[in-house]
């Protein structure tokens, strides 16, 4: 099977020609395997797709067109009304996001106390200092004033989680720049809960080059140079 180790990007599948040579062709959206309701996704065209297979297959078939360039995964779940993000809400967004990232790392650290595997030893050493700080906030829905006070008082605890998330996203390729597709994995899961995340990422891109570098990312989260 010449297609066995032949890799195609999302939206394409391998097809062997008459000579047995593998090629990538667009996935037929109608041939995608059936999905459950919770696997539905919303595209940036505000249309619900049965799953990512159908979405990226459709995008592939539209390749070369304006509609194809503009079609991306918007968020997980069926399309619904997402309220616009106000100036006040987007200004408060980094407070919640920083706290969320910090708590994710603490949860990973706690899980690794029993079974290793999520964090590397270097990452565990970084998170250990945050975990051991008895002044840290217990995970929960805290008022904005408390989050701001904690950030100012325990600034050092928030720096690593922000850096960690950047490098978790910077994978395809690892070039210290975040593209739209690299951000999609975080955006798509958070949009239904954090409707300001799209505007936040847009405003993070200070030079409007459609890429977010580490300096821009840290600036958005209030991390000093």
């Amino acid at each position: 099977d010449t297609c066995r180790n032949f890799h195609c990007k999302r939206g394409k599948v391998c097809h062997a020609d008459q000579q047995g040579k593998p090629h990538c062709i667009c996935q037929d959206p109608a041939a995608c395997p059936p999905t459950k309701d919770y696997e539905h996704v919303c595209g940036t065209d505000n249309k619900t797709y049965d799953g990512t297979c159908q979405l990226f297959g459709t995008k592939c078939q539209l390749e070369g067109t304006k509609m194809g360039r503009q079609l991306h995964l918007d968020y997980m779940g069926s399309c619904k009304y997402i309220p616009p993000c106000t100036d006040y809400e987007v200004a408060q967004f980094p407070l919640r996001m920083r706290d969320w990232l910090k708590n994710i790392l603490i949860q990973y650290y706690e899980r690794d106390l029993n079974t290793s595997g999520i964090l590397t030893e270097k990452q565990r050493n970084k998170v250990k200092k945050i975990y051991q700080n008895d002044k840290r906030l217990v995970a929960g829905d805290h008022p904005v004033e408390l989050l701001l006070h904690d950030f100012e008082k325990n600034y050092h605890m928030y720096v690593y989680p922000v850096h960690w998330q950047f490098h978790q996203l910077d994978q395809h390729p690892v070039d210290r720049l975040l593209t739209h597709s690299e951000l999609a994995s975080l955006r798509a899961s958070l949009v239904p809960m954090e409707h300001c995340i799209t505007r936040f990422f847009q405003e993070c891109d200070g030079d409007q080059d459609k890429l977010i570098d580490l300096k821009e990312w840290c600036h958005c989260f209030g991390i000093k140079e």
Side-chain angles (χ1 to χ4, degrees):
D1 183 1
T2 55
C3 279
R4 180 171 292 175
N5 296 313
F6 195 76
H7 178 71
C8 295
K9 69 176 186 177
R10 294 183 85 168
K12 295 194 174 188
V13 290
C14 181
H15 174 75
D17 61 19
Q18 290 180 331
Q19 287 76 40
K21 191 175 180 182
H23 294 279
C24 290
I25 61 170
C26 286
Q27 165 74 52
D28 177 6
C32 287
T35 58
K36 305 276 195 256
D37 286 350
Y38 61 80
E39 293 176 300
H40 290 179
V41 297
C42 185
T44 45
D45 56 355
N46 203 34
K47 178 183 172 184
T48 297
Y49 293 84
D50 286 348
T52 53
C53 172
Q54 192 182 85
L55 169 66
F56 288 106
T58 302
K59 178 177 173 64
C60 182
Q61 290 188 333
L62 294 169
E63 202 167 340
T65 67
K66 183 180 179 182
M67 198 179 294
R69 285 192 298 275
Q70 292 177 341
L71 179 59
H72 299 284
L73 171 63
D74 199 6
Y75 54 88
M76 309 305 287
S78 300
C79 295
K80 61 181 183 178
Y81 172 69
I82 303 290
C85 176
T86 66
D87 292 346
Y88 174 78
E89 287 174 320
V90 81
Q92 306 307 323
F93 178 81
L95 294 172
R96 296 191 302 277
M97 189 73 175
R98 284 190 306 244
D99 188 54
W100 183 68
L101 293 175
K102 175 169 66 75
N103 286 319
I104 281 180
L105 277 175
I106 287 170
Q107 286 173 15
Y108 283 171
Y109 181 83
E110 288 175 329
R111 208 177 300 172
D112 275 7
L113 290 174
N114 300 319
T115 55
S116 60
I118 300 175
L119 300 175
T120 65
E121 187 177 351
K122 185 177 179 183
Q123 290 172 334
R124 281 168 54 79
N125 290 334
K126 293 268 191 182
V127 182
K128 186 177 182 179
K129 296 170 187 173
I130 301 172
Y131 179 78
Q132 290 177 333
N133 189 319
D134 59 5
K135 296 184 181 66
R136 70 182 177 85
L137 296 177
V138 176
D141 189 15
H142 300 296
V144 164
E145 294 76 19
L146 182 59
L147 291 175
L148 183 59
H149 174 73
D150 194 62
F151 177 62
E152 291 171 348
K153 190 175 180 181
N154 297 304
Y155 170 81
H156 64 282
M157 289 170 50
Y158 292 89
V159 177
Y160 182 68
V162 170
H163 282 212
W164 170 81
Q165 180 64 83
F166 182 91
H167 293 294
Q168 287 294 110
L169 295 171
D170 181 26
Q171 299 292 335
H172 309 290
V174 179
D175 56 2
R176 296 175 73 84
L177 294 169
L178 297 183
T179 63
H180 184 283
S181 60
E182 285 175 322
L183 288 167
S185 59
L186 182 64
R187 265 193 72 259
S189 58
L190 287 183
V191 166
M193 296 175 288
E194 286 284 2
H195 66 282
C196 283
I197 194 166
T198 299
R199 179 176 164 185
F200 176 74
F201 284 155
Q202 288 170 346
E203 294 183 6
C204 263
D205 183 15
D207 56 10
Q208 296 296 298
D209 65 349
K210 300 193 183 302
L211 297 168
I212 297 179
D213 61 29
L214 183 59
K215 188 175 179 181
E216 289 174 323
W217 177 265
C218 289
H219 176 74
C220 282
F221 282 102
I223 305 300
K224 304 163 193 167
E225 283 191 50

